[in-house]
Amino acid sequence: MTGLKMTKLSSNENCYGCSQMARDAILLNYQDAHLYPELHPHALKEQLAQKYGVRSRNIVLGAGSVGIINNLILSFVGNGEEVLTFENSFIAYGQLSHIHNHSCHFAPLADLSCDPVNLMSYINDKTKLIFIANPNNPTGTIITHAQLQAFLESVPERIVVVIDEAYAEYVTDPSFPNSVNLQARHSNLVILHSFSKIYGLAGLRIGFAIAENDIAAELTHCQIPFSLNYLSYHAASCALEDTRFIDDSAGRNDIQRKYLETEFRRMGYNTIATQSNFIYLWFDTDAEKVKVYDILLSNRIIICDLKVFGQELALRITIGDQETNTRIIELLS
Ligand SMILES: Cc1ncc(COP(=O)(O)O)c(C=O)c1O
């Protein structure tokens, strides 16, 4: 039956699974699944606060970082007010804004990255919330500390700026922002993190935000009671502790993304250096794109057709392990 297994490279999960320590925590705690979870898991909040050098009251946990994105929109965008983000970026920002009946505007990328300068001409009196994915999904590019700092210095303080760092642990570029430092001077900055990517816990749905006191209190206030499940925060706590697993995943990913980038370029594909665990390809025609998608699909490898992001001529491939990547290159050569 193993011959029928699909290799899923469409949602940027960790191809190496999750930490054994997190698995053990799941097995140990599932027997207590008849109990309600803690309303605000203090131990995990404290652990995160120590890791990031903030207070535990500045940590907000959520059912995935999309749960927190939803609560940010719910809490900070009123009737007639607007959300701003980038086109060719994470789709949940626009989707959730529309679910809550808010307009969401989309600034263009610059060289496939979320250059905040491009946001400036879209800001108006109604703008309340800005989302910047860093690294950007689906292009894998980053903005630097200097770019984010300059933006925070020029954007009105009444606007909440969200920097979504779901893939931060994969970044090796030293110019990546130290967002916690920036938050100390810009209290309107909210930092988002996910346990779904390098921590390998996508199925358990847990993410967190780091936010200034009032923003954190507001986000906590609008949470659905018990929305965090019992297994998620026990597993997350162990996943955080297992730094060997994280370093190993990041190291292997770095080797594999360099391999894919080099090989795709050698074969003449359009691609861009990625700081994440996925790689972006774009094509001149639909036929070329569909050909790549179909070759991989017929070999049981499922990747993301970025039609869902509104891009007709691009694909995103989650970076798999060495064996998978060698196979992809062989198939597309
Ligand atoms: C930029 C970005 N933010 C957030 C998320 C959602 O993460 P979570 O699983 O924590 O809701 C994703 C998932 O793909 C993402 O790409």
Side-chain angles (χ1 to χ4, degrees):
M1 288 299 279
T2 49
L4 293 176
K5 205 168 161 256
M6 295 293 290
T7 302
K8 182 169 178 262
L9 300 178
S10 52
S11 302
N12 307 335
E13 293 116 336
N14 186 338
C15 67
Y16 306 107
C18 72
S19 147
Q20 186 58 46
M21 286 163 63
R23 273 176 218 274
D24 291 345
I26 294 166
L27 290 175
L28 187 72
N29 287 287
Y30 87 91
Q31 299 171 60
D32 290 331
H34 60 291
L35 300 174
Y36 277 103
E38 278 179 59
L39 209 46
H40 302 292
H42 293 292
L44 178 59
K45 286 174 77 167
E46 190 51 48
Q47 201 179 346
L48 287 165
Q50 281 190 16
K51 177 174 161 69
Y52 288 93
V54 297
R55 301 276 183 86
S56 89
R57 64 167 179 254
N58 300 118
I59 302 289
V60 181
L61 296 166
S65 44
V66 284
I68 303 175
I69 293 168
N70 185 61
N71 288 352
L72 280 159
I73 296 168
L74 205 59
S75 305
F76 296 108
V77 191
N79 276 346
E81 294 176 335
E82 299 176 350
V83 178
L84 174 59
T85 187
F86 288 91
E87 60 186 29
N88 202 356
S89 188
F90 186 44
I91 45 173
Y93 312 138
Q95 279 177 342
L96 289 167
S97 301
H98 294 145
I99 285 175
H100 292 289
N101 288 319
H102 300 302
S103 300
C104 182
H105 297 286
F106 300 92
L109 297 182
D111 294 331
L112 293 175
S113 98
C114 296
D115 188 340
V117 168
N118 283 6
L119 295 169
M120 292 310 292
S121 61
Y122 288 80
I123 293 175
N124 61 41
D125 289 348
K126 296 184 201 155
T127 312
K128 282 306 287 287
L129 198 53
I130 295 179
F131 288 103
I132 304 173
N134 199 33
N136 185 40
N137 176 9
T139 57
T141 51
I142 62 157
I143 60 159
T144 65
H145 189 90
Q147 282 177 295
L148 183 58
Q149 182 170 13
F151 179 65
L152 290 166
E153 278 162 13
S154 52
V155 77
E157 278 174 27
R158 62 173 181 80
I159 298 176
V160 175
V161 177
V162 182
I163 189 90
D164 181 346
E165 300 188 347
Y167 303 94
E169 295 81 4
Y170 290 109
V171 174
T172 50
D173 187 330
S175 68
F176 190 68
N178 181 332
S179 301
V180 172
N181 272 2
L182 290 174
Q183 192 181 59
R185 268 172 293 143
H186 300 279
S187 57
N188 56 333
L189 180 66
V190 174
I191 306 159
L192 275 187
H193 281 274
S194 175
F195 279 101
S196 303
K197 305 303 175 184
I198 207 161
Y199 294 105
L201 299 177
L204 293 189
R205 311 306 302 127
I206 179 163
F208 63 98
I210 307 171
E212 166 277 334
N213 298 346
D214 290 344
I215 296 181
E218 186 65 37
L219 284 174
T220 306
H221 181 69
C222 75
Q223 269 175 341
I224 295 173
F226 304 117
S227 53
L228 271 195
N229 78 69
Y230 193 80
L231 298 180
S232 69
Y233 59 86
H234 288 293
S237 171
C238 291
L240 272 178
E241 265 178 50
D242 194 349
T243 50
R244 256 172 79 172
F245 176 81
I246 305 305
D247 293 346
D248 186 58
S249 296
R252 289 205 224 182
N253 183 71
D254 191 36
I255 293 169
Q256 291 308 312
R257 67 186 170 193
K258 282 180 188 139
Y259 167 73
L260 282 184
E261 198 189 310
T262 309
E263 290 300 309
F264 276 125
R265 281 193 206 280
R266 183 184 59 77
M267 294 190 292
Y269 285 89
N270 298 315
T271 190
I272 184 162
T274 170
Q275 282 287 297
S276 195
N277 70 336
F278 49 83
I279 188 159
Y280 181 76
L281 302 178
W282 71 95
F283 299 84
D284 298 327
T285 65
D286 189 56
E288 287 174 53
K289 181 200 76 175
V290 170
K291 191 172 165 199
V292 168
Y293 186 89
D294 286 349
I295 289 174
L296 295 180
L297 188 62
S298 61
N299 284 278
R300 304 195 176 288
I301 297 172
I302 174 103
I303 62 170
C304 182
D305 184 333
L306 290 166
K307 262 193 301 204
V308 289
F309 278 59
Q311 290 175 65
E312 296 298 328
L313 297 178
L315 297 171
R316 187 194 65 203
I317 307 178
T318 303
I319 294 167
D321 59 15
Q322 186 176 358
E323 189 186 339
T324 308
N325 296 334
T326 311
R327 183 154 163 66
I328 289 175
I329 298 304
E330 276 168 14
L331 290 167
L332 299 180
S333 283

